Amino acid sequence: MSNFTPASLPDLTGFRILITGGHSGLLISPCLFSLFLSIGIVTIENFAKIFRGLTTTTELARHRAKVYIASRSRSKAEQTIQKIITTQPNAEIEFIEMDLADLRSVKKGAEEYLTKETKLHILINNAGVMCTPFSLTAQRVEAQFQTNYLAHFYLTQLLLPTLQSTSRSLDTLLGTIRIVNVSSDGHAKLTPKEGIPFSDMTMEHVSTWTRYGVSKLAQVLHAKEVARRYGPNGIIALSLHPGTVKTNLSAGPRGSTWWYKVVQPLVELGAPGPEKGCWNTLWCAAGSDVKKSENGSYFEPVGKRGKASVHAEDVQMAEQLWGWSEGVLRDNGL
Ligand SMILES: NC(=O)c1ccc[n+]([C@@H]2O[C@H](COP(=O)([O-])OP(=O)(O)OC[C@H]3O[C@@H](n4cnc5c(N)ncnc54)[C@H](OP(=O)(O)O)[C@@H]3O)[C@@H](O)[C@H]2O)c1
């Protein structure tokens, strides 16, 4: 689907969308931004090029969806909303507080969403960290694994009843409810030979790159398992690699891996800007060309069915991961 552009998205009037990390680190104040905007130094479009979460949110709102940004930072999310509204006064965007590093916060955020809405058409599990130093979360799970995968597993579990009931009342253009996991080609390149290391899920003694790869593999497996379990109920779950894009994500590897600063220009050489970095996410979330027969698939930019790794195709591994994840929730009284 290489001729996709955000302009080809359908009208999303009436859609409710929740995206984690939908603000992506805006760094200047609304006043300064408005000044830059008024004297023509920036436009929302070229500012959005710097931030993928922002560009995804901006495009979905431009197509008239109501978008909820689930973020751990009220100030960043509110700055983002302010900036989008500067150029799209009718944009409907709200903030939901959610820190993926604490599953209690995920629960609170999901509950807050459900006090505001009875429907959810698209859930985009986008937020993530990469190559952060080893640490455990409040639930004693490795931090990258929880932020990138487990918190999104839990969020999806909490919202599945609403996604399913929305599916039953569906009268929309897309004809399906979507769950989109923003994974990475690292799901194949950075994982240990056994795939998900069930015998040592704390992963303290493997490299931070491996921990990232495992979290991204888990996201691909999760989409496949959701598709298998809930496809018959009208849910389409996809995973994707957005491409290599210059974003704040590289702060992780720059901080943890001395040589990354040296190779980063090479890694990012020729990489598209984030204005294109969000296209695959947009295509999976709201593109009209997604086929029910592709439920559970992994996509490369843009809308190209990608080759998921052998582990990512392992149905038993997907089931085992699901069981492991439910176990962690149970152990934490969630
Ligand atoms: N950039 C690439 O080349 C690339 C390649 C492959 C895959 N990806 C994937 O694309 C997704 C988006 O990344 P990006 O490139 O847009 O990076 P980014 O600009 O760093 O955005 C990551 C987002 O995740 C949020 N986040 C991190 N930890 C969180 C937490 N504990 N709770 C809630 N939100 C949290 C960040 O919020 P804060 O601003 O509060 O930190 C930010 O909004 C990630 O899943 C990443 O793995 C990116």
Side-chain angles (χ1 to χ4, degrees):
M1 206 38 60
S2 54
N3 56 1
F4 172 85
T5 69
S8 56
L9 289 175
D11 179 10
L12 298 170
T13 301
F15 271 65
R16 298 293 180 263
I17 300 177
L18 180 68
I19 173 169
T20 62
H23 67 266
S24 276
L26 296 173
L27 301 171
I28 62 173
S29 74
C31 295
L32 210 50
F33 179 75
S34 302
L35 175 68
F36 286 175
L37 198 67
S38 62
I39 58 179
I41 292 179
V42 296
T43 63
I44 190 76
E45 280 75 18
N46 62 29
F47 198 78
K49 283 174 187 172
I50 315 169
F51 301 106
R52 193 213 323 283
L54 166 65
T55 51
T56 308
T57 304
T58 304
E59 286 303 331
L60 294 169
R62 193 195 310 287
H63 287 80
R64 300 197 179 84
K66 181 164 184 181
V67 185
Y68 286 83
I69 296 177
S71 163
R72 60 182 163 176
S73 165
R74 175 178 290 277
S75 61
K76 286 183 188 175
E78 284 179 350
Q79 282 183 36
T80 296
I81 294 169
Q82 191 67 36
K83 283 167 187 135
I84 296 175
I85 286 176
T86 308
T87 55
Q88 294 184 53
N90 297 327
E92 288 191 275
I93 311 172
E94 283 195 31
F95 162 68
I96 298 270
E97 185 167 2
M98 190 179 295
D99 181 354
L100 301 170
D102 187 342
L103 297 180
R104 293 164 300 188
S105 169
V106 173
K107 184 165 192 244
K108 206 159 157 251
E111 284 170 354
E112 187 188 339
Y113 177 82
L114 295 173
T115 62
K116 294 176 184 229
E117 298 290 347
T118 53
K119 292 190 173 180
L120 178 61
H121 299 84
I122 302 171
L123 169 64
I124 308 179
N125 293 321
N126 164 75
V129 288
M130 182 184 191
C131 297
T132 47
F134 176 79
S135 71
L136 296 177
T137 64
Q139 285 72 40
R140 304 203 62 72
V141 174
E142 191 278 320
Q144 288 191 76
F145 194 72
Q146 175 159 322
T147 306
N148 298 351
Y149 162 68
L150 185 66
H152 287 128
F153 171 86
Y154 187 37
L155 180 61
T156 306
Q157 292 293 89
L158 293 168
L159 296 174
L160 262 166
T162 306
L163 289 157
Q164 289 182 89
S165 62
T166 308
S167 164
R168 285 193 289 276
S169 65
L170 202 66
D171 53 355
T172 65
L173 274 176
L174 289 182
T176 55
I177 295 300
R178 309 257 175 100
I179 297 172
V180 176
N181 286 353
V182 181
S183 177
S184 163
D185 61 356
H187 87 271
K189 296 176 180 166
L190 300 172
T191 38
K193 62 177 182 336
E194 72 272 33
I196 304 288
F198 289 109
S199 58
D200 175 23
M201 288 301 275
T202 309
M203 296 184 277
E204 184 172 0
H205 303 294
V206 300
S207 86
T208 187
W209 293 85
T210 303
R211 292 195 287 268
Y212 180 72
V214 170
S215 72
K216 292 289 150 182
L217 170 61
Q219 286 188 290
V220 181
L221 289 167
H222 176 234
K224 284 186 188 291
E225 190 61 12
V226 172
R228 193 178 71 77
R229 291 178 186 233
Y230 296 95
N233 303 357
I235 308 286
I236 290 210
L238 307 174
S239 62
L240 67 98
H241 172 54
T244 299
V245 193
K246 292 170 192 158
T247 66
N248 294 335
L249 196 71
S250 58
R254 274 202 316 275
S256 65
T257 313
W258 67 266
W259 49 260
Y260 191 77
K261 291 186 194 113
V262 180
V263 300
Q264 187 178 358
L266 286 176
V267 171
E268 293 180 350
L269 191 69
E275 86 280 14
K276 277 203 172 177
C278 73
W279 285 14
N280 207 22
T281 305
L282 289 171
W283 185 85
C284 288
S288 321
D289 299 314
V290 171
K291 297 181 186 63
K292 286 185 186 166
S293 59
E294 290 173 325
N295 203 357
S297 297
Y298 164 76
F299 285 91
E300 288 166 358
V302 173
K304 210 177 98 198
R305 199 160 167 176
K307 195 168 161 24
S309 70
V310 174
H311 290 310
E313 298 290 357
D314 185 333
V315 179
Q316 266 187 332
M317 193 172 288
E319 268 190 76
Q320 193 177 351
L321 177 64
W322 191 283
W324 179 89
S325 308
E326 286 178 325
V328 176
L329 300 186
R330 249 193 329 271
D331 292 348
N332 282 281
L334 295 165

